[in-house]
């Protein structure tokens, strides 16, 4: 019987030897803890040649940055491993490979991606990966289509919904996305100069009603097995390669939530670039980012419709034209959730390097301002933004 | 350990003595099997004065009218009892009281409603219960509000969704409501004279895409714990009293499904009355039925909004104006599901006395025709029917 205990580096090496699935387990000799997150230990396991070979990740029973006062379910390790395994089935080329997991130890072993880099870091530096956006669209389409009612047998779908019930992690999203930024909350963090703008959010009827609708759909619309946190910090990239990681927020929710989170993080980078790069590089980078936004949506939509045409198993949902009608609803959700991601990353507690790394205070404030106003526009105008071109026009208009 | 066995009348009496909760169990002496359904044994338990005192209901492991070739999960007895118990908590005045249940025996004991009559039978005879419609609206509002995201803590809601996963009974609805009537299926039953009308349903793009959307929302939108089959045959009425029974289709689905099923059965009666009653009585009855339709919706909507204003626990959903915006979406769903109920009761296999009892063949065909065309109109036009008055105008227009 395995019982939960926090791993030391030596524990992680022993575990990797037993469950890492490497050909030469005795060659594994060392571990480095590389977790920069708040919730987990992440060990990179090295062999006797100093090469990193495999990753051992263990969930902590509390939120690391806060300490033991904020306990958090260990079941998230099971959810994460099972979400990644499920997504890998449908999109192995863009999902990190999990080779073993143990629910009681809250630990999993997965492929080492040392040849890759976290996409957010690359975006912040102005590095462009020309295939990444279309690959992300492909990941979203494959994973979300194959776990939706279009594809799963209704009995299987219902069992899967029950398997991925994830109350504690969902609650974090429910609070941080949909509550905090729209009320006066101690977790919020934003420049003092934006006080009026932020206070205005909490009094804007149209915005608050739209955000309530987005939260309600997050609660109730079990459309597909989401990644649940697919921002640019949960994505590894390399030349011609993209891999999603960190799926502990996995659960059955609205498809537009994942797509909107993905687009929102590209747009945060768009808003931050003027503060991160020299003017000419920033301008070029922003055009590339808009191109990425277009590519993610078009790759997602095209592949989703192609899969629907080929592989829909439900006789009613297979009727010609229905998948297009559904995709239209996903688009409206996507815009709304994209807006909430922009706002929760700038007003709420979960800030990102795209803004934090801007050294000039006044510039950072202006970049944050533009992310907030864009987020607000998208949430309110979602039903009236016809297509990807109209979205890009709105982004340019926002400045 | 209780193990499943089919009850005899004597078993039912013994069971009622042990679990009926009556003051004088030894007085219980006889049982009559009164089930007219296809899925269950229903025993009325009599005392030594010949008075019926309590009901013992047991699920059969197959669909009774078809025989043992169509097996059906016994878990539906647990679902039924737990749904009724949950609904009783929130609306005791309009939910049958369950005093005991045993999941393994698939049996439950509940209050005897011999003083009541099945509403459908009364509607078919032209009997009017002036309070019934508002009471049904009250039942729908209380049960659906209190099991929704407005009221339940998000952790509890997710656990409840898992508890009420009901794949086999949902599949019956998925097939009979949303598939069969819109394809050439051997289970369909309709007058030969309506062949063109019915075949037309399966080729109508607008209709088929709308029905696919309704089916998809039935699959995915876990808004509240539905009764799942709240037609006029699942409702007992007496002077000033209304009680919902038969909740084996209970599960978390779209609120508009329950409301639409309820309205659909009143509108089937509206369509059937010209064949059931003399012309003058039929005309009067139809006006009363439209009044009932109005009362169900208004009582439901008013109470739902009042509960939302008073008792919403979620801070985002509590924002003023959100409940109204949500109710607007429920209205559109209600119209669509109402339309699918009209069609599945006339084209599909589950026919009802409102049509079956019409003795004149030509008249019955015309009544069925009007139910089908009304159903089709409601499904297609749902987003464009503004309010209850507009619905009633559409019903009159349909003839």
């Amino acid at each position: 019987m395995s019982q939960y205990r926090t791993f030391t580096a030596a524990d992680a090496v022993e575990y990797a030897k037993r469950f890492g699935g490497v050909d030469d387990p005795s060659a594994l000799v060392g571990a480095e803890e590389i977790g920069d997150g708040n919730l987990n230990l992440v060990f990179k396991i090295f062999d006797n040649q100093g090469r990193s070979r495999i990753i051992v990740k263990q969930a902590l029973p509390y939120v690391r940055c806060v300490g033991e006062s904020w306990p958090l379910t260990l079941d998230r390790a099971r959810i994460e491993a099972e979400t990644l395994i499920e997504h890998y089935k449908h999109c192995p080329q863009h999902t990190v490979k999990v080779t073993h997991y143990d629910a009681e130890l809250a630990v999993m072993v997965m492929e080492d991606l040392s040849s890759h880099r976290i996409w957010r870091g690359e975006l912040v530096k102005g590095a462009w990966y020309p295939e990444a956006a279309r690959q992300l669209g492909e990941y979203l389409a494959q994973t979300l289509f194959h776990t939706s009612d279009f594809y799963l047998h209704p009995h299987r779908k219902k069992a899967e919904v029950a398997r991925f019930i994830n109350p504690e992690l969902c609650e974090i999203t429910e609070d941080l996305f949909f509550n905090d930024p729209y009320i006066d909350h101690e977790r919020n963090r934003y420049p003092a100069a934006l006080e009026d703008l932020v206070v205005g959010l909490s009094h804007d009827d149209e915005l608050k009603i739209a955000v309530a609708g987005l939260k309600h759909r997050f609660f109730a619309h079990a459309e597909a097995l989401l990644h649940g946190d697919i921002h640019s910090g949960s994505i590894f990239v390399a030349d011609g390669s993209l891999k999603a990681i960190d799926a502990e927020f996995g659960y059955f929710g609205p498809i537009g939530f994942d797509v909107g989170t993905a687009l929102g993080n590209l747009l945060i980078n768009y808003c931050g670039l003027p503060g991160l790069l020299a003017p000419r590089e920033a301008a070029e980078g922003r055009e590339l980012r808009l191109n990425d936004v277009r590519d993610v949506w078009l790759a997602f939509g095209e592949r989703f419709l192609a899969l629907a045409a080929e592989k829909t198993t439900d006789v009613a949902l297979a009727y010609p034209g229905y998948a297009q009608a559904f995709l239209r609803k996903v688009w409206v959700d996507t815009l709304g959730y994209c807006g909430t991601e922009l706002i929760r990353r700038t007003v709420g507690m979960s800030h990102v390097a795209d803004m934090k790394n801007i050294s000039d205070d006044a510039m950072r404030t202006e970049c944050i301002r533009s992310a907030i106003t864009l987020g607000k526009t998208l949430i309110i105008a979602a039903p009236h933004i016809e297509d990807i071109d109209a979205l890009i026009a709105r982004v340019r208009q926002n400045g």
Side-chain angles (χ1 to χ4, degrees), chain A residues 15-23 28 45 53-57 80-82 84-86 88 95-102 107-112:
Chain A
Y15 202 82
K17 283 184 183 176
R18 286 184 63 193
F19 299 112
V22 299
D23 295 335
L28 301 178
I45 310 298
R53 298 286 296 277
I54 201 133
I55 300 293
V56 174
K57 177 174 179 178
E80 173 171 16
E82 293 187 359
L84 289 172
I85 288 167
E86 194 61 34
Y88 186 87
T95 311
V96 64
K97 184 172 189 178
V98 173
T99 53
H100 174 83
Y101 79 100
D102 182 313
V107 73
M108 65 183 207
V109 185
M110 58 188 164
E111 67 176 311
D112 179 80

Side-chain angles (χ1 to χ4, degrees), chain A residues 55-361:
Chain A
I55 300 293
V56 174
K57 177 174 179 178
Q58 184 180 42
L60 292 165
Y62 46 81
V63 178
R64 203 183 187 188
C65 65
V66 179
E68 304 195 9
S69 63
W70 186 348
L72 196 61
T73 177
L74 293 173
D75 189 45
R76 68 187 196 276
R78 177 191 67 80
I79 295 266
E80 173 171 16
E82 293 187 359
T83 300
L84 289 172
I85 288 167
E86 194 61 34
H87 281 189
Y88 186 87
K89 270 186 218 163
H90 307 301
C91 196
Q93 67 276 35
H94 300 307
T95 311
V96 64
K97 184 172 189 178
V98 173
T99 53
H100 174 83
Y101 79 100
D102 182 313
E104 279 188 65
L105 284 170
V107 73
M108 65 183 207
V109 185
M110 58 188 164
E111 67 176 311
D112 179 80
L113 291 167
S114 294
S115 57
H116 290 62
R117 292 171 172 198
I118 291 291
W119 197 12
R120 191 185 302 285
E122 301 300 287
L123 290 167
V124 166
K125 288 192 303 186
W128 187 48
Y129 289 74
E131 294 169 61
R134 293 200 71 85
Q135 290 172 332
L136 177 54
E138 176 77 10
Y139 165 79
L140 293 167
Q142 293 285 356
T143 57
L144 298 170
F145 174 82
H146 286 101
T147 57
S148 77
D149 293 296
F150 285 90
Y151 183 71
L152 291 182
H153 186 281
H155 290 199
R156 171 93 190 283
K157 161 83 186 308
K158 290 173 181 74
E160 291 289 87
V161 166
R163 178 158 74 109
F164 288 99
I165 294 277
N166 192 1
E168 290 194 37
L169 280 283
C170 282
E171 188 176 21
I172 294 175
T173 301
E174 288 151 13
D175 289 347
L176 299 189
F177 264 77
F178 305 115
N179 291 0
D180 292 6
Y182 308 95
I183 56 178
D184 178 17
H185 199 286
E186 60 181 10
R187 282 191 294 242
N188 291 339
R189 294 282 179 273
Y190 51 86
L194 301 181
E195 182 70 13
D196 286 355
L197 177 62
V198 171
V199 169
L201 301 179
S202 64
H203 301 309
D204 186 318
D205 289 352
E206 227 184 334
L207 180 72
K208 294 272 283 191
I209 290 173
V211 170
L214 289 162
K215 187 181 190 189
H216 199 171
R217 301 204 284 285
F218 183 84
F219 277 141
H221 289 192
E223 291 174 351
L225 176 58
L226 305 189
H227 178 286
D229 195 26
I230 188 72
H231 61 82
S232 51
S234 299
I235 296 169
F236 270 115
V237 289
D239 278 352
S241 177
L242 177 142
K243 301 272 184 186
I245 60 167
D246 281 358
E248 57 210 343
F249 286 82
Y251 86 110
F252 275 78
I255 287 174
F257 183 83
D258 263 10
V259 185
T261 299
L263 295 190
N265 280 276
L266 294 173
L267 288 174
I268 284 186
N269 182 260
Y270 173 92
C271 293
L273 281 177
L276 293 165
L277 303 179
R280 186 170 159 178
E281 284 71 29
E284 284 173 9
R286 278 157 71 98
E287 288 306 309
L288 293 174
R289 209 69 341 98
L290 293 183
N291 216 57
D292 287 343
V293 166
R294 181 194 302 276
D295 278 356
V296 169
W297 173 258
L298 291 180
F300 164 74
E302 285 162 16
R303 178 66 72 198
F304 195 93
L305 291 181
L307 289 168
E310 271 169 47
K311 297 177 77 175
T312 298
T313 57
D314 184 84
V315 64
L317 274 53
Y319 196 78
Y322 177 65
Q324 284 79 357
F326 176 68
L327 190 63
R328 168 75 206 165
K329 296 199 178 225
V330 171
W331 169 246
V332 175
D333 273 0
T334 293
L335 294 170
Y337 290 116
C338 175
T340 58
E341 176 73 2
L342 282 160
I343 289 178
R344 75 112 173 184
R345 293 289 189 186
T346 46
V347 175
M349 76 176 281
S350 308
H351 287 211
V352 288
D354 310 70
M355 293 296 170
K356 281 194 292 190
N357 285 15
I358 300 173
S359 51
D360 182 274
D361 285 348

